[in-house]
Amino acid sequence: MKDIIIKKPIRVLLLFLFIPLWLSAQNISVKGIVKDAQGDPIIGVSVVEKGTTNGIVTDLEGQYTLNVSSKARLDFSYLGYITQTIDVSGRTKVDVVLQEDVRVLDQVVVIGYGTQRKEAVTGSVASIKGDAIKEMAATDVSSALYGRLAGVDMSQTSSKPGSPMQIRIRGTRSLNASNDPLIVLDGIPFPGSISDINPSDIKSIDILKDASATAIYGSRGANGVLMITTNKGQTGAKASVSYNGFVGLKTLFSKYPMMNGEEYAKLREFAGKYQNGPDESNDVNTNWQDLLYQNSMVTNHDLSILGGTEQGSYNFSLGYLRDEALIPQQNFTRYSMRGTLDQAIGKSLKFGFITNNNYSVSNGGNLGTYGTLSLTPISNPYNADGTWKRTVKMAGDEQWAYSRDAINALGDKWIDQGRAFGSYNTVYGEVKIPGVEGLKYRLNLGLNYRQNNTGSYTGEGVFSYDPNNPSTATVSNSHTTNWAVENLVTYDRTFSEKHSLNVVALYSAEETQYNKSQMSAKGIPDDAFQFYNLGQATGEITVSPANQGYYQSGLMSWMGRAMYSYDDRYMVSVAFRSDASSRLAQGNKWHTYPAVSAGWNIRKEAFMDGITWMDNLKLRVGYGQTSNESIDPYKTFGLLSTRPYNFGNEYTVGYYVSELPNQNLGWEYSETWNYGADFSFLNGRISGSAEYYVQNTKDILFRVNLPATTGVGSYMANIGKSQNKGFELTLNGTILDNHNGWSWDVGVNFYTNRNKLVGLTSRQEEDRDNWWFVGHPINVIYDYEKIGLWQEGDKYRDILEPGGNAGMIKVKYTGEFNEDGSPKRAIGDADKQVIDVNPDFQGGFNTRVAYKGFDFNVIGAFQRGGILISSLYSSTGYLNMLNGRRGNVKVDYWTPENTNAKYPKPGGITNNDNPKYGSTLGYFDATYLKIRNITLGYTFSPQLSKNLGINKLYIYSTIQNPFVLFSPYHDESGMDPETNSLGNENQAVTTVYQKRLLVIGTNTPSTRNFLIGLNLTF
């Protein structure tokens, strides 16, 4: 009994002694890092001990530390990702990789100097993932974006291989300054071309569209910002090697619709203006296009290796692209090399670098199709002995005979080559400030260099009817160096789990130096010299002052931004930025841009708790100001030009003022209001956004033309106003969500933009030389309006068209009428119309159907209304002359037996060898629906892939540009309705259309491509 009494207190004492040890064994500190599938840390992930309120969110590095029970289960949740529950099982380190929820992709966006959950974004941001870009198997970034994002218009300015597309975000706003958006690559403004970026290296693209989002980039963000984020390695991951590649056959989408021999002979006979030339005969039918085009190849290969150490990550990649045109000797080749390295030292210091390098070669850029199309089909290309004719003698012309064999046989007698090298490098260092949680400093240093070298050589008699035409050569070189430095201080904290605050302050500076030189020569002594030694020329050597150039320009900036969110319910963002540009006048160099936006997540309100079908509903509004100074440097100083003249017996050069200086030249700036709503329904099955914006641009940088009596041509000034307003809608839906193995996702975007010029110079309502008219869009046609053809017996033809004939083009008369209804005058310049070329609306769509390992993707784009300009049908291209002089496009022309025709009578009344008002024949309804990409792919099962030693294996086949629907132009011509040239290119009369307008001209023909591709990781 005594022993029991003694032992019991001892047991109790021992129990109390071991309680702390027992509690210690049951409660542990768990830490780790949360990343996405690409290895990037995720900020703000909720980490909660299951069944409790004990939790925390991950910091800027995706890290967390939490005291929990050793047997606890942790829930990791984040909007846009699949929630994971993990057993701790006594571990003190738990790292997690969250997988994206395919129904709510793109929930984390890059907003400039940081990232933000889309749920908290208050500005206008459109996003696309790198995987979606790879679906296009695109050779450049811009074509991969075509039709994919609302408010982002992609237009083709050239169909030659290697040519990027023109990008316009929410319309055109400037007249003389640039309308191109800013490209930001991995956080640093990118001074190169978008074609320098390999699409396979891209992780995501986030496009900032409204001023409240772009104002932090100041003047450079005036036309929107493309935030391009490239792939990086993964901390702590083993090395992984990936290969992405495709190879394809390029075939002709459609020939240019030219008349055959029989049709052309009838046209010439009916026109009655020309007799057959020495090399022409009505029993000949030559298809010159068949003799020129040849199927070609496109191939792309990318190899990358990525991985990491315990505190670092790396990614290195190599890329090769070769894209050939159907025109012989015309091709584009690009070699790219990229590397990233990120390394942490301890818990506070991190540094790294990013380098993007590319070298490209373009060949045959000066070749087009006009020389082929203008040859008549009744001309025989062969001599009596079967040899190829050097030239073809037609009714009124003699032309060099183009064919693939003739071009391939030139050898050293011809070359047109452009070579470009670019190296874009960023070095950064980042340090967490000790003692202040969430505060860090980052230094970005960008060092960039781009070099362009072009050379062309045309041997004696090549491409000329004259065999003695002297050989010519031209060399052009340019160099661009750029440095940029950014100092960033960031404070990011979440207080009491509901108050989130992010503050960024920046000071940056950059400088760009550019110079170019060009010279040309005649009489190269031997074809082997080509353009490599112009000093040996026996003829004239020209160094034109207009083709030399140099400038140095700089930009200095201060920026501050604060973003606050309460419970992810109420959000506000305020930003200020000040820029100083060396391109503007003293006293006007600085400009400050305010921006403010706010958002309200209505779905998080208590009164919405009972609405289970709605996942998210956020309203947002933003106001901001941006500006533009993208004009040539030194406009404040004016411009001197040279002119040679004789001074007595001596030849000398004089200088004269060609452009006046302007010491008041300042910023062009825009003010934008943006209203938006983001929504998601039915557990993410339906999601999207809708936006309306109004953008007013003031003090437009504008070249003011002066009267000849001043002795000076023009000067640059801040005169003019424009406005853009529009509506955008994006919808994404999941029709089937793994239903018996089937999945089906669809997406569509739709947008409109209404642009107009609000003001020009003081009291000036129009500038006819530049086709600018107050109250009308910036991009218009200024021409007559065709309303039909004159017929025999039509009233007032003798008044409106004195000397005119039945079958000639009838245009709209805008003058006054007499009391008897007759017109008071003949048709003249006063009857020209301002014609809007812009579409009513446009957009794109995509759909993906998957069954087990198979997937089927379709991507398309559409446009309603607007005017498509085709210089093929217009008289400006000299291929619809309707007089029998040169090859003619196949058209339904007027005859006494065919009076309901669309095109005028051949050989009728003319203006400069073309039908009068012939430019009006080239205007078409620009409506179309175009399927751009159809892909069928298969992902091998993980088990089969692992048996092959491969982590992931995906094969696919793609048809690009398969077909077009609902296009009046395509219905008539059979051709692709996408533009392929600028307004002053690829047409005989180059001054008819403004350069800024896009046309279909006689450029490299459009293709339909058949590709097979392979993506694998091991």
Side-chain angles (χ1 to χ4, degrees):
M1 186 71 177
K2 183 179 179 181
D3 290 340
I4 295 175
I5 295 172
I6 293 173
K7 289 180 179 179
K8 187 174 181 180
I10 293 175
R11 290 173 182 170
V12 174
L13 177 61
L14 290 173
L15 179 63
F16 277 99
L17 288 173
F18 281 98
I19 281 177
L21 297 177
W22 178 79
L23 290 174
S24 176
Q26 299 301 311
N27 291 277
I28 59 177
S29 177
V30 179
K31 65 179 180 179
I33 184 171
V34 183
K35 300 179 179 179
D36 61 16
Q38 285 73 41
D40 292 329
I42 308 177
I43 307 166
V45 176
S46 175
V47 185
V48 179
E49 183 179 0
K50 197 173 187 66
T52 73
T53 58
N54 180 32
I56 197 172
V57 295
T58 56
D59 63 14
L60 291 172
E61 306 298 332
Q63 298 176 351
Y64 72 93
T65 300
L66 186 65
N67 291 322
V68 298
S69 166
S70 62
K71 296 181 179 181
R73 304 181 74 197
L74 298 181
D75 282 340
F76 295 83
S77 61
Y78 190 64
L79 186 65
Y81 291 82
I82 299 172
T83 298
Q84 288 194 38
T85 301
I86 296 179
D87 292 324
V88 173
S89 301
R91 292 177 293 169
T92 59
K93 186 175 183 181
V94 178
D95 294 336
V96 178
V97 176
L98 292 183
Q99 300 297 321
E100 291 175 316
D101 188 338
V102 296
R103 294 173 301 180
V104 285
L105 285 175
D106 305 327
Q107 294 299 321
V108 179
V109 298
V110 179
I111 57 171
Y113 304 113
T115 60
Q116 192 174 23
R117 287 181 299 125
K118 191 171 184 179
E119 185 183 35
V121 171
T122 54
S124 180
V125 183
S127 303
I128 186 170
K129 292 290 186 181
D131 291 342
I133 295 174
K134 292 183 179 68
E135 288 177 3
M136 283 294 296
T139 57
D140 66 273
V141 178
S142 55
S143 61
L145 295 177
Y146 181 82
R148 302 300 298 271
L149 301 170
V152 183
D153 179 36
M154 301 291 187
S155 301
Q156 193 172 244
T157 61
S158 176
S159 50
K160 293 181 175 65
S163 300
M165 302 185 83
Q166 174 185 277
I167 304 175
R168 293 290 180 265
I169 298 177
R170 292 185 166 180
T172 299
R173 54 191 62 85
S174 296
L175 301 182
N176 289 120
S178 172
N179 283 286
D180 296 328
L182 169 70
I183 300 172
V184 175
L185 183 65
D186 292 316
I188 291 289
F190 183 65
S193 167
I194 197 169
S195 60
D196 292 335
I197 302 172
N198 188 343
S200 294
D201 290 332
I202 294 176
K203 176 185 176 183
S204 66
I205 298 178
D206 299 282
I207 299 183
L208 314 183
K209 296 188 289 186
D210 75 319
S212 68
T214 66
I216 59 169
Y217 284 104
S219 61
R220 292 173 296 183
N223 303 309
V225 182
L226 270 68
M227 308 288 301
I228 299 178
T229 304
T230 56
N231 298 315
K232 291 189 176 183
Q234 181 175 345
T235 303
K238 294 181 180 180
S240 173
V241 178
S242 297
Y243 167 80
N244 299 317
F246 61 83
V247 61
L249 175 68
K250 299 178 68 175
T251 65
L252 186 65
F253 182 87
S254 175
K255 295 176 185 176
Y256 285 86
M258 307 303 292
M259 290 182 177
N260 61 28
E262 181 183 358
E263 293 163 341
Y264 185 80
K266 289 181 179 179
L267 169 72
R268 177 175 284 181
E269 180 181 3
F270 184 73
K273 284 184 173 289
Y274 293 96
Q275 301 299 316
N276 288 354
D279 292 324
E280 293 179 311
S281 175
N282 288 354
D283 60 354
V284 172
N285 182 22
T286 300
N287 191 317
W288 290 96
Q289 295 183 79
D290 287 346
L291 297 172
L292 178 67
Y293 306 143
Q294 58 186 11
N295 289 343
S296 59
M297 300 291 292
V298 58
T299 183
N300 185 83
H301 305 282
D302 296 293
L303 185 66
S304 66
I305 180 171
L306 61 86
T309 62
E310 186 175 343
Q311 286 193 296
S313 64
Y314 58 85
N315 181 8
F316 296 95
S317 64
L318 297 172
Y320 169 79
L321 165 71
R322 182 172 175 84
D323 188 6
E324 301 172 348
L326 271 59
I327 295 178
Q329 302 296 321
Q330 189 177 91
N331 53 67
F332 174 78
T333 305
R334 181 183 65 211
Y335 306 88
S336 59
M337 180 174 66
R338 179 181 171 275
T340 70
L341 177 66
D342 299 277
Q343 180 65 47
I345 301 177
K347 296 183 178 180
S348 300
L349 183 62
K350 185 178 180 182
F351 68 92
F353 72 83
I354 304 170
T355 179
N356 286 276
N357 305 273
N358 67 83
Y359 174 71
S360 62
V361 180
S362 300
N363 287 306
N366 63 352
L367 288 178
T369 59
Y370 176 77
T372 298
L373 302 178
S374 60
L375 291 166
T376 63
I378 60 173
S379 51
N380 193 329
Y382 298 101
N383 295 306
D385 60 0
T387 59
W388 186 262
K389 292 178 179 177
R390 195 188 75 84
T391 64
V392 172
K393 298 181 179 66
M394 300 179 292
D397 302 280
E398 181 180 0
Q399 290 186 208
W400 200 82
Y402 287 84
S403 76
R404 54 180 173 270
D405 292 335
I407 293 174
N408 288 330
L410 288 174
D412 288 344
K413 291 181 177 295
W414 167 78
I415 186 174
D416 181 76
Q417 187 177 87
R419 292 167 295 194
F421 170 74
S423 181
Y424 311 100
N425 308 279
T426 301
V427 181
Y428 79 88
E430 185 176 285
V431 59
K432 295 180 180 178
I433 307 301
V436 184
E437 183 181 350
L439 183 64
K440 67 178 182 180
Y441 166 77
R442 181 182 177 107
L443 173 67
N444 294 324
L445 177 62
L447 302 169
N448 308 295
Y449 174 75
R450 181 176 175 85
Q451 175 180 312
N452 286 279
N453 306 102
T454 61
S456 63
Y457 170 72
T458 304
E460 187 177 26
V462 174
F463 303 148
S464 173
Y465 73 92
D466 182 1
N468 298 314
N469 190 54
S471 59
T472 60
T474 300
V475 173
S476 179
N477 302 299
S478 68
H479 302 269
T480 304
T481 57
N482 167 271
W483 61 260
V485 60
E486 295 181 333
N487 297 272
L488 281 159
V489 177
T490 303
Y491 179 72
D492 194 297
R493 283 289 302 276
T494 298
F495 302 93
S496 303
E497 298 184 5
K498 289 191 175 182
H499 301 274
S500 298
L501 179 65
N502 178 281
V503 180
V504 177
L506 168 137
Y507 165 74
S508 68
E510 72 167 75
E511 183 179 274
T512 300
Q513 184 171 304
Y514 168 83
N515 72 280
K516 72 170 184 177
S517 59
Q518 178 179 310
M519 62 179 177
S520 58
K522 294 182 179 180
I524 307 302
D526 191 274
D527 290 331
F529 282 88
Q530 294 191 328
F531 58 81
Y532 296 105
N533 191 345
L534 270 61
Q536 295 291 336
T538 59
E540 180 184 3
I541 298 177
T542 303
V543 182
S544 172
N547 294 324
Q548 323 303 314
Y550 169 85
Y551 73 78
Q552 185 175 9
S553 67
L555 193 70
M556 182 185 296
S557 306
W558 296 90
M559 187 274 291
R561 181 185 64 196
M563 297 184 297
Y564 170 76
S565 171
Y566 173 72
D567 196 27
D568 288 333
R569 191 185 316 171
Y570 311 112
M571 294 81 64
V572 64
S573 175
V574 179
F576 288 90
R577 178 164 179 138
S578 289
D579 283 345
S581 172
S582 67
R583 302 187 183 207
L584 303 175
Q586 291 290 341
N588 293 311
K589 291 184 179 295
W590 284 95
H591 190 80
T592 300
Y593 323 89
V596 60
S597 58
W600 178 24
N601 275 330
I602 300 177
R603 181 64 184 84
K604 290 187 174 290
E605 296 291 352
F607 59 79
M608 299 290 289
D609 289 345
I611 304 178
T612 58
W613 52 269
M614 179 182 290
D615 310 320
N616 177 51
L617 178 60
K618 179 178 66 176
L619 302 181
R620 46 190 169 81
V621 61
Y623 166 83
Q625 207 182 95
T626 57
S627 67
N628 200 339
E629 45 83 51
S630 297
I631 57 172
D632 293 337
Y634 313 128
K635 289 298 181 182
T636 57
F637 301 129
L639 184 67
L640 290 178
S641 297
T642 59
R643 181 172 294 161
Y645 67 96
N646 292 328
F647 187 75
N649 295 325
E650 296 183 5
Y651 173 83
T652 187
V653 174
Y655 293 86
Y656 67 96
V657 178
S658 56
E659 187 172 299
L660 287 175
N662 184 354
Q663 295 302 317
N664 295 313
L665 195 64
W667 292 90
E668 169 184 308
Y669 70 96
S670 300
E671 295 179 327
T672 301
W673 281 95
N674 190 85
Y675 310 90
D678 303 317
F679 50 84
S680 175
F681 307 129
L682 304 176
N683 197 27
R685 297 288 286 266
I686 301 174
S687 62
S689 64
E691 302 198 57
Y692 175 76
Y693 62 89
V694 178
Q695 181 181 73
N696 293 297
T697 302
K698 304 176 182 179
D699 291 346
I700 288 178
L701 292 162
F702 179 76
R703 185 186 303 277
V704 180
N705 294 321
L706 297 174
T709 53
T710 64
V712 181
S714 64
Y715 72 99
M716 186 67 70
N718 294 100
I719 301 173
K721 300 177 183 179
S722 69
Q723 183 186 79
N724 281 273
K725 57 183 179 181
F727 173 77
E728 300 166 359
L729 177 65
T730 300
L731 291 173
N732 296 292
T734 299
I735 299 175
L736 297 176
D737 186 12
N738 198 23
H739 180 71
N740 296 326
W742 288 91
S743 298
W744 184 8
D745 298 308
V746 295
V748 63
N749 68 82
F750 165 96
Y751 61 97
T752 66
N753 178 268
R754 297 292 179 264
N755 164 263
K756 68 177 179 180
L757 191 58
V758 178
L760 283 170
T761 58
S762 178
R763 296 183 299 277
Q764 185 178 349
E765 292 296 315
E766 60 184 35
D767 180 346
R768 294 192 180 186
D769 291 339
N770 290 302
W771 290 9
W772 286 322
F773 303 88
V774 173
H776 295 274
I778 292 175
N779 291 334
V780 297
I781 297 168
Y782 183 57
D783 201 353
Y784 299 97
E785 180 181 345
K786 177 178 176 287
I787 59 174
L789 301 178
W790 285 102
Q791 305 294 340
E792 292 288 356
D794 281 354
K795 294 176 66 176
Y796 309 132
R797 190 183 76 200
D798 57 333
I799 300 175
L800 293 173
E801 295 292 350
N805 60 268
M808 73 173 291
I809 297 171
K810 185 177 185 179
V811 299
K812 185 176 181 179
Y813 171 70
T814 63
E816 296 179 348
F817 294 87
N818 296 310
E819 292 183 1
D820 61 358
S822 62
K824 287 188 173 182
R825 58 171 176 80
I827 296 287
D829 282 347
D831 297 296
K832 288 185 176 180
Q833 308 288 305
V834 179
I835 305 170
D836 184 1
V837 302
N838 300 284
D840 299 328
F841 61 81
Q842 56 196 125
F845 58 91
N846 59 276
T847 184
R848 180 181 185 272
V849 178
Y851 177 71
K852 296 184 177 180
F854 290 94
D855 62 87
F856 180 73
N857 296 272
V858 178
I859 299 172
F862 57 85
Q863 177 173 303
R864 174 66 174 86
I867 298 296
L868 174 65
I869 304 171
S870 172
S871 61
L872 176 70
Y873 286 87
S874 168
S875 61
T876 63
Y878 275 23
L879 293 175
N880 198 14
M881 303 171 74
L882 290 169
N883 59 13
R885 177 181 170 183
R886 299 178 183 176
N888 207 97
V889 64
K890 183 177 180 179
V891 294
D892 178 29
Y893 54 83
W894 188 96
T895 67
E897 298 76 33
N898 185 33
T899 58
N900 290 325
K902 177 181 177 181
Y903 293 87
K905 173 187 175 182
I909 187 171
T910 62
N911 182 18
N912 295 328
D913 208 25
N914 284 289
K916 190 175 183 181
Y917 312 121
S919 59
T920 65
L921 301 175
Y923 305 144
F924 292 80
D925 183 348
T927 298
Y928 68 84
L929 186 151
K930 184 174 184 179
I931 304 299
R932 301 198 68 241
N933 198 82
I934 300 176
T935 298
L936 176 64
Y938 180 74
T939 302
F940 286 82
S941 67
Q943 185 60 45
L944 179 59
S945 298
K946 287 182 179 179
N947 292 339
L948 299 173
I950 298 171
N951 294 330
K952 181 181 179 181
L953 177 59
Y954 177 71
I955 60 173
Y956 62 92
S957 60
T958 295
I959 303 176
Q960 293 180 335
N961 211 19
F963 55 86
V964 174
L965 301 171
F966 312 121
S967 168
Y969 184 73
H970 174 74
D971 292 343
E972 178 165 342
S973 67
M975 295 177 61
D976 190 338
E978 274 196 75
T979 58
N980 65 15
S981 304
L982 292 169
N984 65 343
E985 294 179 332
N986 302 301
Q987 52 180 308
V989 184
T990 59
T991 57
V992 172
Y993 303 120
Q994 297 294 325
K995 176 181 179 180
R996 65 181 182 273
L997 297 178
L998 302 182
V999 306
I1000 293 181
T1002 53
N1003 209 334
T1004 302
S1006 181
T1007 62
R1008 180 181 287 114
N1009 307 331
F1010 301 87
L1011 313 176
I1012 56 173
L1014 171 69
N1015 298 340
L1016 61 87
T1017 303
F1018 52 90

